[in-house]
Amino acid sequence: MFSEHSNDHKSQPVYLWGESDRLTPGDLLERLQHYHEMSGLETDHFSLGGTVKLLEEQMASLLGKESAIFMPTGTLANHLALRHLCQSQKRVIVPEQSHIYNDTGDGLEKLSGLKLIPLGKNRVCFSLNELKEAIRNAKTGRVDTPIAALVIESPVRRKMGQTVAYGDMQRITDYCRQNSIACHLDGARLFMMSAATKIPITDYTKLFDTVYVSLYKYLNSPSGAILAGPTYLLKPMIQSRRMFGGALWGAYFFAALALKELTSFEETYKKAFSTSQLLFRLINNLPGISITAFKNGSNIFLVKLSPTINPETFRQALSEHAIYLDPNQRPSRTFTINVNTSLLRQTKERIAESVKNALHSASV
């Protein structure tokens, strides 16, 4: 079993897929015990107080916002952010490829009466001109139906983790402020994105009224989310969270694991990305394989094997060296891999050597 305290690089598993480091239940218990010994776990009362409050305070500071509130899921965090940002006006502009538009079962329309307007079909984000046209159309109809809020998601899961260019974010949110439109960032993977782009977290968050960050995506908590923004907006969400059945009793376990990860996240992810760049150079010098980045990408990379490599044999050979590809992708000569901090469990030289041996074994 992998232990985060082990120094044996040979046997530690590297997972080139997924949203976290694939920690085992034993790893999580070990981390909880370590946090309890160093800081002391404090219980909460329906997600209020204790270690949950400590996480909320630290996340508010890291995100450059006045307040933060724990949510059990990102879906609820996004929902309540938009529910409270939209008062008398009910229209919300969202990216057509966003999680909110595609993966929440029209929950905002059914439960909060909000009308979603998708823009930027099959693209990472909509353009400023598309936004201007949508605002103009909302104002010039027979019945005035102004836009209340706008969402930007970045990175975009449905577009291979591509990010919205920072300059585009600035132009879009600036225009929204000029038109009294609130802005929400679906930043589930914000901490990872900041490490990938080298743009500080608060440079992103200052553009938005509210920001959501996942606790299980790259912060290695089994569940949970944080929503940050102004106190006047977030305080009433304590009641809304309970109304929606989201006031968990005993959320302090999730909070403690996220706090544990935050102590070293920035340093370890910077190291993971710099190591990945050196590793990919080594691998790209090998015959039969290439690794390339996506435009405006984050931590997802495209891998191509030559026709002389059997993809199933290659995958199996890598697993014999404790290097694992995404089991949800069917064996193919073209697939994606993710960079996360499990990459640091083995040296880049060992991983490159394992890839070399796997290519040799899979040669046909």
Side-chain angles (χ1 to χ4, degrees):
M1 179 186 297
F2 163 69
S3 169
E4 64 177 317
H5 303 296
S6 171
N7 292 315
D8 178 11
H9 285 289
K10 184 176 181 179
S11 61
Q12 294 184 15
V14 172
Y15 296 98
L16 298 179
W17 63 283
E19 304 278 18
S20 68
D21 296 343
R22 322 303 302 179
L23 297 177
T24 67
D27 297 329
L28 294 175
L29 289 172
E30 184 179 332
R31 287 187 170 208
L32 271 177
Q33 181 63 34
H34 184 259
Y35 179 89
H36 186 49
E37 291 173 354
M38 298 300 294
S39 304
L41 286 164
E42 297 182 43
T43 60
D44 57 90
H45 183 77
F46 290 108
S47 301
L48 295 173
T51 302
V52 173
K53 182 180 179 182
L54 292 177
L55 175 66
E56 291 171 339
E57 292 172 346
Q58 184 165 338
M59 289 295 276
S61 176
L62 289 171
L63 296 170
K65 296 300 182 184
E66 186 180 12
S67 296
I69 184 172
F70 173 86
M71 294 287 173
T73 67
T75 297
L76 186 60
N78 283 328
H79 189 119
L80 293 189
L82 294 172
R83 181 185 177 94
H84 284 255
L85 286 170
C86 301
Q87 296 299 318
S88 59
Q89 301 168 2
K90 298 297 183 180
R91 287 196 168 192
V92 181
I93 290 176
V94 296
E96 188 269 340
Q97 288 289 293
S98 66
H99 171 86
I100 290 175
Y101 186 66
N102 290 282
D103 301 307
T104 60
D106 295 332
L108 281 162
E109 297 188 1
K110 294 175 181 176
L111 303 176
S112 293
L114 302 184
K115 176 66 176 179
L116 301 186
I117 302 175
L119 299 180
K121 185 174 178 59
N122 201 33
R123 302 200 310 275
V124 173
C125 192
F126 44 82
S127 67
L128 178 58
N129 285 336
E130 286 176 291
L131 171 63
K132 289 179 178 180
E133 183 181 1
I135 293 174
R136 184 167 56 252
N137 290 341
K139 290 179 177 179
T140 57
R142 291 291 180 91
V143 178
D144 187 22
T145 51
I147 307 298
L150 170 145
V151 176
I152 289 180
E153 177 184 319
S154 188
V156 183
R157 178 181 63 83
R158 288 176 176 269
K159 302 303 290 183
M160 296 298 179
Q162 290 176 280
T163 64
V164 179
Y166 187 74
D168 291 341
M169 281 191 189
Q170 286 182 304
R171 285 184 285 273
I172 288 171
T173 54
D174 283 348
Y175 190 78
C176 284
R177 275 190 291 274
Q178 295 167 18
N179 288 271
S180 300
I181 296 172
C183 295
H184 172 66
L185 175 62
D186 181 342
R189 302 161 178 84
L190 173 61
F191 282 68
M192 180 277 292
M193 177 173 71
S194 174
T197 63
K198 299 182 174 60
I199 297 174
I201 289 171
T202 51
D203 281 12
Y204 283 114
T205 60
K206 70 183 181 182
L207 305 178
F208 297 87
D209 298 281
T210 52
V211 179
Y212 144 62
V213 175
S214 173
L215 300 185
Y216 85 84
K217 294 181 174 74
Y218 305 103
L219 290 179
N220 286 321
S221 182
S223 189
I226 284 289
L227 179 64
T231 301
Y232 82 87
L233 191 73
L234 267 59
K235 190 172 182 179
M237 290 186 195
I238 294 173
Q239 298 300 318
S240 300
R241 179 179 63 184
R242 190 152 192 171
M243 179 180 70
F244 275 82
L248 300 184
W249 181 282
Y252 64 101
F253 285 156
F254 302 137
L257 287 166
L259 282 167
K260 177 74 169 63
E261 187 69 20
L262 284 172
T263 59
S264 60
F265 183 92
E266 185 175 4
E267 178 184 349
T268 54
Y269 255 88
K270 283 182 178 178
K271 186 176 181 181
F273 276 109
S274 62
T275 298
S276 71
Q277 291 174 355
L278 297 173
L279 171 63
F280 295 164
R281 289 176 195 168
L282 293 175
I283 292 175
N284 280 333
N285 285 329
L286 300 173
I289 188 171
S290 68
I291 301 177
T292 56
F294 290 96
K295 181 182 179 181
N296 292 328
S298 54
N299 72 324
I300 301 178
F301 295 82
L302 183 67
V303 181
K304 291 185 178 181
L305 302 177
S306 74
T308 61
I309 304 299
N310 182 296
E312 181 59 40
T313 305
F314 177 73
R315 177 189 296 265
Q316 181 60 37
L318 279 182
S319 68
E320 293 172 2
H321 295 278
I323 300 171
Y324 301 99
L325 302 178
D326 187 353
N328 299 308
Q329 295 187 50
R330 296 180 63 182
S332 170
R333 291 189 175 90
T334 301
F335 56 93
T336 58
I337 58 174
N338 290 31
V339 170
N340 54 53
T341 57
S342 76
L343 191 71
L344 303 176
R345 295 172 182 171
Q346 297 185 29
T347 67
K348 62 181 182 296
E349 291 82 9
R350 183 181 295 277
I351 296 173
E353 185 66 23
S354 296
V355 172
K356 179 181 178 180
N357 293 336
L359 288 168
H360 178 75
S361 298
S363 181
V364 294

